[in-house]
Amino acid sequence: MTDEFNQIAEGEGLDDFLISLAEGVASAQAELNQLVINSPSGSGVSYQIPKLEFELKLQVNTQQFSSMVQTNESELMTKKKSYLRVASPTTTQQSSAASVIKGVLMAVPTNSGKPGFSLNLNMGVILNGEVPIMVEVVSAVGEAQVNVPVEINVDRQRSTLMSQQEGRSDNVSPNTYIKNGLVMTGADGKASTVLVVDQAELQQTPIVVTVDALSETESLIYRVQ
């Protein structure tokens, strides 16, 4: 460690040291995240800093001074203006203490190390004003996720924005809705509900449906027939 670094660090609090250290690791990891190397199989390979061991050597110095105070007693007795005169320090006490703090910053995998999740969405054919919506929740390795709550909604704001971008002025009718907006996945990791489409909807009106499960969000767009 250079003298320049020691001078910069002098007087900082311990929490400042640790925060700066963690920020440095986060910055280095952010740079690594942008460097993806293609493997022979063609897939991208990324790297993660597994851990960082650090050692902080702290030394605390204290210094105490004792001073001699003199007063003019004759002026105090005659009630004249009194004054205090502080002499130069006559004694000095010094003490020092040193300690070493060691630690490790570990990389913690997201989702407690479990594989990520994905949502597979499908829409069926409209029948009697109802469009079936099928949702499948699986892990990154294709395992079905059981008893997972799935929230399904009509995103009216995005639907209106999409219509405006297409030069349309129609909005999704209030009578267009999801019949059951909260469903649970079964043993096969699948769940389903129905989009009820108002008969007054104009043809080709875009209806954006959002699906949320396990912090993942996906969207479907239905065009009114």
Side-chain angles (χ1 to χ4, degrees), residues 14 55-60 96-102:
L14 180 58
E55 179 177 307
L56 298 178
K57 296 181 180 180
L58 306 179
Q59 183 170 355
V60 180
S96 63
S99 62
V100 176
I101 299 177
K102 297 182 179 180

Side-chain angles (χ1 to χ4, degrees), residues 41-55:
S41 62
S43 60
V45 177
S46 59
Y47 294 90
Q48 184 177 25
I49 300 174
K51 68 176 181 178
L52 173 66
E53 298 182 2
F54 64 90
E55 179 177 307

